Amino acid sequence: MQRLALFDLDNTLVDRQLALSAWAMEFADDRGLGREAVRWLIAADGQGLRARDQFFREVREHFGLAQCAGELWAGFRARMPDLVRCEPEVLEGLSQLRASGWRVGIVSNGMADNQLAKIQRSGLGERVDACCVSGEVGVRKPDVRIFQLAAERCGTALGAGGWMVGDDPEHDIAGGRAAGLRTVWIGGQLVRPRGEPPAERTVPSALAAIRLLRDGF
């Protein structure tokens, strides 16, 4: 049986918060906004969970910027892929997982241009069988259909079973479980999403999740 492992992207395979901090410092420095602006931007971002158009309208208004929100958002999407990094150990771990017989995919919510560029520039594109980004396919996690598409792109089906690895209790854990996948949660003490049972496994990092799957959990 072909084994399937699906991974979230931001704050799972790559550290989005680290990249966001770098972007916020550049953004503030380029406009002479000061260090307090960096802290404000990071807090207002809401760990990427806020609607981007709303976030950049607020950024424009808060700092009195001449650029429209759409231009600020476009600049963000163009810059973030250059700031995102995937640890070499994670890249190697994904290669080892595939070599041991797993089909590996990425399932991510977000704009297609931004997320796909992150995947390619971080080196992840060469280490997975397929990726499925909500902005490209028109459906978002936790909708079961995006997991179905990801499995199909990996050359298998959800009915064959598999795992979803991610940091978001609703999008990744509840969504993965609804799709019939077992789940690995990246984080600390898991709050049960919408009353659902917790993930089958909880680990501190993507590398730990990869090793768990590779070594037979």
Side-chain angles (χ1 to χ4, degrees):
M1 181 184 295
Q2 188 71 63
R3 294 173 293 179
L4 173 68
L6 300 178
F7 290 83
D8 173 50
L9 179 62
D10 289 319
N11 292 328
T12 297
L13 292 175
V14 301
D15 190 336
R16 180 189 179 276
Q17 286 304 109
L18 188 63
L20 177 77
S21 296
W23 168 81
M25 286 188 284
E26 286 187 357
F27 187 91
D29 287 345
D30 289 347
R31 293 163 177 78
L33 301 176
R35 295 295 94 182
E36 182 56 38
V38 175
R39 290 186 286 273
W40 185 93
L41 288 163
I42 292 171
D45 171 74
Q47 297 186 338
L49 299 178
R50 297 186 59 197
R52 295 294 86 187
D53 55 348
Q54 178 185 357
F55 170 65
F56 282 104
R57 283 198 301 270
E58 188 172 333
V59 169
R60 182 179 186 269
E61 294 170 4
H62 184 81
F63 296 109
L65 302 177
Q67 285 179 286
C68 70
E71 291 175 342
L72 295 172
W73 187 9
F76 174 85
R77 296 202 310 271
R79 183 59 179 143
M80 279 291 280
D82 291 325
L83 299 174
V84 163
R85 299 287 183 270
C86 182
E87 294 296 328
E89 295 83 0
V90 172
L91 294 173
E92 179 59 26
L94 292 172
S95 293
Q96 292 176 3
L97 200 59
R98 292 174 75 196
S100 65
W102 289 76
R103 291 295 179 91
V104 178
I106 296 173
V107 186
S108 176
N109 287 346
M111 299 289 289
D113 58 349
N114 187 37
Q115 300 302 84
L116 291 172
K118 288 180 189 176
I119 290 168
Q120 293 306 317
R121 295 180 198 175
S122 65
L124 284 165
E126 302 171 359
R127 309 300 179 108
V128 300
D129 294 292
C131 55
C132 203
V133 176
S134 65
E136 175 196 14
V137 302
V139 60
R140 294 173 55 85
K141 295 181 294 183
D143 194 308
V144 169
R145 290 174 292 172
I146 196 169
F147 300 100
Q148 292 172 331
L149 284 169
E152 290 170 6
R153 290 184 175 188
C154 286
T156 184
L158 291 181
W163 291 80
M164 176 64 201
V165 180
D167 71 305
D168 189 283
E170 181 178 356
H171 294 161
D172 301 320
I173 304 309
R177 291 180 64 87
L181 299 168
R182 288 183 283 180
T183 54
V184 180
W185 189 67
I186 308 291
Q189 181 63 40
L190 179 62
V191 176
R192 296 186 178 189
R194 296 186 177 181
E196 292 291 329
E200 280 80 1
R201 299 288 189 274
T202 301
V203 297
S205 67
L207 183 59
I210 291 167
R211 289 172 174 167
L212 182 74
L213 298 178
R214 184 195 64 197
D215 298 339
F217 40 85

